Amino acid sequence: MNDADGIPPKLADLLRHPNDLDKIPALKSEFTRKKAAIDGHLKEGLKEQLDITQAGMSSISDGQRTVQLVKEEMMKIDRLCAEAQSLVTHFPQIGLVSQTHRNFAMVEAMRSNLDSFNGRVAAVEALLRLDDDDLENMPNFLSVHYELSQLRNIRDEAMDQIKKTTDASLQSTLEDFFARLEEPIGWFDEHVGLVCLNMISLVQNGNNGLVVRLAIIVEEEERNDKKIRAMQEAQKEYKELAARFKSITTGPKELRGYKEKFLECIRAHAQEQFDKAIEQFLDDPDRLEKSMRWFFNDLNTVKLGMVALMPKKWRIFRTYGDIYHGLMHDNLVRLIDDPELKPPQMLAIVHWVDKYYAKMARLGYDRRELGRHVIDDRAGELIQEWRQLIVKFLDEWISRIFEADRKEFGERSPDTLDRDENGCFRTRNVVDMWRMLREQTLVAAASRLNEVTEGVIDAMLRVLRTRQSAWQKMVDDECARYANANAGTSSGSGSGSGVDQDGYQTLQDWLVAVANDQIACIDDNEDAGQLGYLTRFRRDFEGAVSSAYLAQASGEVEALRNGYVDLSTHCITCFTKLVFVVDLRSTLADFFTGRWYGEAGMARIVSTFEDYLNDYAQVLHRSMFDILVEELADTLLERYLGGVRNKGAKFRRTVAASASASGSASPPDPYEAKLRDDVLTAFAFFERFPAAFGAIKAKWRVVDWFSRLIAADKHALPALWIDFRAEHPDAHLSWLEAVLRARDDFDRATLNAVKARVAAEPFVPPHLPPSSPSAAAAAGAPQETIMSKVR
């Protein structure tokens, strides 16, 4: 009624003038939308409550049926006992003797247990003391639990028996006698708590044995607690009947709750981590994702390392997920409800929600199974319709631009490429895209709402990342189509005969244009007053967002910058691969075969390189030219070394073999002269590009090793391969096998000898020299060489 009473004044305020009647359709639509949202929440809540009620009623019904079955079975047992007494002669006397014997045996057992009690407690304390000295392993963990369980059962049984007497002093005496047991119990519980709190680190450190022992202990205690609860339920209604069965009444008498303590320790450990993470988050909102990294690391550790160590019925991965998700919800909602929470922090929380569910999904948690929303669906309160409209327009515009790019790239008409002021190839739509992004950035900034501007910038950054990925996929698909079309063509000179040469030429032009586009996005030259599109985009929005968000966005912009570099390099790599697959396929197939010795294959290749570099020198961005040269050299070296797998590849070593037999000095083998000629031909070409030649020459030194592997005596090959691997740790043994098979003296024994030597001396990669620029980043890992690409 209060809500209803509040509506007329609000309507009166909204409809003050006759012209305001035009607002009625909009107001009606707004109220209808709000009513639908409220109805949806009510229906969802009602459904949830009905499901819970139905599940509870089903559980109650199942419990009642189970209790009734127990009652009926116990009544049957009682009836059978009564009938058996009437069938056996002198049954009372037999029962009395049997009872007397049992009582005597129980007294003897109790007396023996009491006599040894203190000694056993002392032994347990000694074991606990040893575990204190080795808390990382606790070798006596299970032994202590077993002995303590026995001692607790002795105490419980004695106290249960003494309670049936009328002498209260006896009970006090026993309590004093058993008081010593409390200290080792507390001591052991501290060990259990310590292990529970450190389960994640134990699994991460590979200490699985201690975790398994903990699981065994908790599972056993859980089983005992279930028995105790069942006995207590039975004694409530059939106390006298249940007391007749000693198998029911013996054993633990009190609930110990280790399973509950186990779960509580999980919560305590997670909450401690949350407290630290929240403190970091409050200091710097941009660190929310980083400060919560432990959260997903813990769950991933449980998934990969702990599931196999725990009983399946515990569903430990689901248990951890429920506990962690509940704590995430409670802590985030508490932050949102905090009146001192700052807007950047609130915005960071809203942005965190989607990342959180994405990470949980990657871990294997279904969003619906996690239960309540992590911030109770309150993010909608901070999302504005204005931002939604801008983002919608942005997505539609970018989609149209990309569809135009896709169409033009697919058709590749001669007039679809433009040239910039430097004469470099460029695509048509990239300028329009950046102009549109700037316009929408200014529109969003005009709202003077950080959440609106930042949401729009997020959408723009997402679109730019997606565009990079989509362009890379389009380039890969189109290049693969040409490569696959050429794979089946017959050998011959020149380019592949099965390729559409007109389409192939325009594809190469487009690859250059796309690479130039990426460089234009990041081509900053402040001295000349020239800025790339990305830098101008950043300057447009950096004054309209909070400093906290700007730090986050700067990382995204830097990632985009790296993405543009990667995509431009990828286009040049694809360009190079097409040259080798289409233009040079037949020449490459001749390497190290009989035709190789008599033909100038390397000369044809460098001639092809020269033609391409001359053709594209004026239309390729200056910063990409040296990259193209180096890509050509690297790919040539990779294909050259891989030529040992060509059909018919064989190295002629007969001259050396005959000279060795005669004892005279041997002239160079035919392959040695040919290898030297190929290298000199390649070097003569690439030394014309001094900016790249230094790196190229260093990589091509591997050809010397290649020659030595061909020329080496069979007995020296194992040691030579070990030396080779020391400089090229990423070399593949399968490549060596191909080299050996191409030798004219190949035999299986030589290959087996190399493999045996490699197996006998496991390879330890050398550390990088201190002068290496990547030494710190690689943390001592071997540097990747050209051999990683040679298969």
Side-chain angles (χ1 to χ4, degrees):
M1 291 299 296
N2 292 337
D3 293 341
D5 293 340
I7 292 177
K10 186 175 181 180
L11 290 176
D13 292 339
L14 294 172
L15 304 176
R16 289 181 178 273
H17 306 287
N19 292 337
D20 292 339
L21 293 175
D22 295 336
K23 298 180 180 179
I24 290 178
L27 292 173
K28 182 179 179 182
S29 175
E30 176 69 13
F31 291 143
T32 301
R33 183 183 63 79
K34 291 182 177 179
K35 179 179 180 299
I38 294 172
D39 290 343
H41 285 297
L42 290 174
K43 288 180 181 179
E44 184 178 352
L46 178 59
K47 182 179 182 300
E48 183 178 353
Q49 291 300 321
L50 286 175
D51 292 341
I52 293 173
T53 303
Q54 183 64 40
M57 293 176 65
S58 300
S59 299
I60 292 172
S61 300
D62 293 341
Q64 288 176 341
R65 284 194 294 270
T66 303
V67 170
Q68 185 61 35
L69 290 173
V70 172
K71 287 180 181 179
E72 293 175 358
E73 291 299 323
M74 295 185 73
M75 290 173 65
K76 289 179 182 179
I77 294 172
D78 187 51
R79 186 170 61 252
L80 289 173
C81 289
E83 292 174 354
Q85 292 178 11
S86 63
L87 295 175
V88 179
T89 307
H90 305 301
F91 182 82
Q93 291 80 359
I94 296 173
L96 180 61
V97 172
S98 176
Q99 182 64 40
T100 302
H101 182 269
R102 283 198 302 270
N103 290 342
F104 179 78
M106 290 173 62
V107 170
E108 278 294 313
M110 181 58 70
R111 177 179 174 277
S112 175
N113 289 333
L114 293 176
D115 287 343
S116 61
F117 186 81
N118 288 328
R120 294 171 71 177
V121 170
V124 169
E125 290 175 340
L127 293 176
L128 287 169
R129 202 170 292 111
L130 291 174
D131 281 354
D132 266 349
D133 295 335
D134 188 8
L135 291 175
E136 293 185 357
N137 296 304
M138 295 190 191
N140 305 305
F141 202 30
L142 279 180
S143 300
V144 170
H145 172 256
Y146 175 79
E147 191 63 22
L148 275 180
S149 298
Q150 298 299 314
L151 294 174
R152 289 169 115 174
N153 290 343
I154 292 171
R155 181 192 63 181
D156 292 349
E157 183 66 27
M159 296 304 298
D160 185 62
Q161 293 295 328
I162 207 66
K163 287 177 182 178
K164 299 176 183 178
T165 66
T166 57
D167 191 349
S169 62
L170 296 177
Q171 182 174 347
S172 177
T173 302
L174 273 182
E175 288 175 351
D176 293 340
F177 180 80
F178 290 123
R180 185 182 175 186
L181 185 60
E182 294 302 324
E183 182 177 351
I185 290 175
W187 196 351
F188 174 73
D189 287 350
E190 289 179 5
H191 285 186
V192 172
L194 182 64
V195 178
C196 290
L197 289 173
N198 292 280
M199 280 192 299
I200 297 294
S201 60
L202 288 173
V203 175
Q204 290 174 342
N205 294 329
N207 195 350
N208 295 341
L210 187 54
V211 177
V212 170
R213 281 176 275 156
L214 172 68
I216 292 172
I217 291 171
V218 176
E219 184 181 24
E220 179 63 24
E221 292 294 340
E222 180 187 26
R223 188 181 300 114
N224 290 336
D225 285 352
K226 287 182 178 180
K227 291 180 181 178
I228 293 171
R229 291 190 184 95
M231 183 181 69
Q232 290 174 348
E233 291 294 329
Q235 287 179 340
K236 285 180 181 178
E237 297 191 20
Y238 294 96
K239 182 176 181 180
E240 183 177 333
L241 180 60
R244 298 182 186 180
F245 298 95
K246 301 303 178 183
S247 61
I248 297 178
T249 58
T250 57
K253 299 294 190 298
E254 297 179 358
L255 295 173
R256 297 171 186 171
Y258 277 85
K259 179 64 179 295
E260 290 73 18
K261 295 175 184 177
F262 172 80
L263 298 176
E264 188 57 37
C265 285
I266 296 176
R267 293 188 184 90
H269 167 76
Q271 186 58 52
E272 181 182 358
Q273 297 291 93
F274 267 113
D275 293 340
K276 296 177 182 177
I278 290 173
E279 184 178 353
Q280 297 174 2
F281 164 67
L282 294 176
D283 292 337
D284 183 2
D286 288 331
R287 296 189 62 185
L288 178 58
E289 183 173 3
K290 184 177 181 180
S291 64
M292 291 296 177
R293 191 174 295 166
W294 64 269
F295 183 95
F296 304 102
N297 289 343
D298 282 5
L299 293 179
N300 193 51
T301 298
V302 173
K303 179 180 181 181
L304 299 179
M306 194 181 293
V307 171
L309 309 179
M310 297 290 176
K312 289 184 178 180
K313 63 181 179 181
W314 285 4
R315 301 179 66 195
I316 194 67
F317 184 54
R318 175 58 54 195
T319 300
Y320 259 91
D322 292 341
I323 292 174
Y324 273 46
H325 177 72
L327 290 174
M328 177 70 77
H329 168 273
D330 296 343
N331 284 279
L332 291 183
V333 170
R334 176 168 57 84
L335 285 173
I336 292 173
D337 291 337
D338 185 356
E340 298 182 0
L341 191 69
K342 299 177 182 179
Q345 297 161 349
M346 180 71 75
L347 183 63
I349 291 175
V350 173
H351 285 297
W352 165 246
V353 172
D354 290 338
K355 296 179 182 178
Y356 168 77
Y357 278 113
K359 291 176 181 291
M360 294 296 280
R362 285 198 291 271
L363 285 170
Y365 291 105
D366 186 84
R367 184 168 184 164
R368 293 169 295 182
E369 294 179 356
L370 287 173
R372 55 187 173 177
H373 191 271
V374 71
I375 58 171
D376 293 334
D377 281 322
R378 295 169 63 178
E381 299 172 7
L382 305 176
I383 298 175
Q384 301 295 325
E385 293 183 3
W386 178 234
R387 186 188 74 177
Q388 295 173 347
L389 289 174
I390 296 176
V391 171
K392 180 181 178 182
F393 176 80
L394 172 70
D395 288 340
E396 291 175 352
W397 190 278
I398 291 294
S399 295
R400 287 196 294 270
I401 289 178
F402 189 71
E403 284 303 318
D405 284 339
R406 188 193 302 275
K407 181 179 179 182
E408 291 178 359
F409 182 65
E411 295 176 353
R412 293 196 292 280
S413 301
D415 58 345
T416 53
L417 291 179
D418 291 336
R419 291 184 183 238
D420 61 14
E421 62 276 10
N422 297 318
C424 297
F425 283 151
R426 296 284 297 278
T427 62
R428 286 181 173 181
N429 296 318
V430 67
V431 176
D432 294 338
M433 181 195 71
W434 284 106
R435 183 185 299 115
M436 184 274 300
L437 290 178
R438 184 173 190 275
E439 292 173 356
Q440 295 308 308
T441 301
L442 297 177
V443 170
S447 68
R448 297 182 181 179
L449 295 172
N450 283 347
E451 58 266 35
V452 173
T453 305
E454 292 162 6
V456 170
I457 298 303
D458 272 346
M460 290 179 177
L461 295 173
R462 171 182 53 81
V463 164
L464 291 174
R465 288 195 303 269
T466 303
R467 181 177 171 84
Q468 286 180 349
S469 301
W471 261 115
Q472 180 165 338
K473 185 177 186 304
M474 280 202 305
V475 167
D476 288 342
D477 291 345
E478 194 66 15
C479 290
R481 186 172 70 85
Y482 271 82
N484 294 336
N486 190 67
T489 59
S490 59
S491 62
S493 60
S495 62
S497 59
V499 176
D500 176 8
Q501 290 299 315
D502 293 335
Y504 172 56
Q505 177 66 46
T506 55
L507 174 59
Q508 290 177 311
D509 293 346
W510 266 84
L511 290 175
V512 170
V514 174
N516 290 338
D517 284 347
Q518 313 316 307
I519 297 301
C521 293
I522 57 175
D523 188 17
D524 296 335
N525 187 353
E526 296 189 8
D527 295 336
Q530 176 184 345
L531 297 177
Y533 292 120
L534 188 61
T535 301
R536 279 182 276 175
F537 169 66
R538 185 184 185 280
R539 292 189 177 184
D540 285 338
F541 74 75
E542 64 183 0
V545 297
S546 66
S547 58
Y549 177 79
L550 183 58
Q552 172 187 334
S554 296
E556 296 284 347
V557 170
E558 194 60 32
L560 277 173
R561 187 181 302 276
N562 295 334
Y564 287 125
V565 173
D566 293 343
L567 182 54
S568 61
T569 306
H570 183 71
C571 290
I572 297 302
T573 301
C574 291
F575 181 100
T576 304
K577 289 181 178 179
L578 284 177
V579 171
F580 280 86
V581 171
V582 177
D583 295 83
L584 303 174
R585 180 181 180 82
S586 58
T587 302
L588 295 173
D590 291 340
F591 278 148
F592 313 134
T593 64
R595 289 189 296 272
W596 173 64
Y597 292 93
E599 296 183 359
M602 186 62 73
R604 285 202 303 270
I605 290 175
V606 298
S607 176
T608 302
F609 288 173
E610 185 174 14
D611 292 342
Y612 271 109
L613 293 177
N614 289 337
D615 291 343
Y616 285 96
Q618 302 303 317
V619 297
L620 179 64
H621 194 278
R622 61 188 182 281
S623 63
M624 301 302 297
F625 188 78
D626 289 335
I627 294 178
L628 175 59
V629 173
E630 194 165 348
E631 281 290 333
L632 289 171
D634 288 353
T635 308
L636 174 59
L637 179 57
E638 173 193 345
R639 300 300 179 91
Y640 191 72
L641 295 176
V644 294
R645 296 187 182 277
N646 287 338
K647 185 177 181 181
K650 189 66 67 176
F651 296 106
R652 300 175 184 172
R653 305 173 68 258
T654 54
V655 174
S658 60
S660 176
S662 63
S664 60
S666 61
D669 283 333
Y671 77 89
E672 290 183 352
K674 187 61 178 174
L675 282 175
R676 186 180 302 106
D677 179 67
D678 285 350
V679 173
L680 292 177
T681 301
F683 280 8
F685 173 74
F686 287 117
E687 67 183 359
R688 293 186 295 178
F689 311 99
F693 184 62
I696 293 172
K697 187 176 181 180
K699 293 177 183 178
W700 273 71
R701 289 196 181 99
V702 73
V703 178
D704 180 58
W705 281 103
F706 178 42
S707 177
R708 290 163 63 185
L709 288 171
I710 300 171
D713 184 78
K714 293 181 180 181
H715 301 292
L717 275 172
L720 182 60
W721 173 251
I722 295 299
D723 293 341
F724 177 68
R725 285 284 300 276
E727 289 191 16
H728 303 83
D730 44 11
H732 298 275
L733 189 60
S734 59
W735 176 76
L736 173 65
E737 181 176 352
V739 173
L740 297 183
R741 289 183 181 277
R743 289 172 48 134
D744 55 7
D745 62 345
F746 169 74
D747 58 68
R748 177 62 63 177
T750 304
L751 178 60
N752 291 338
V754 175
K755 290 183 177 180
R757 178 69 178 274
V758 171
E761 298 185 17
F763 175 65
V764 179
H767 293 303
L768 290 172
S771 60
S772 172
S774 59
Q783 191 172 7
E784 184 178 284
T785 72
I786 190 67
M787 294 306 300
S788 65
K789 301 177 182 179
V790 180
R791 302 291 177 177

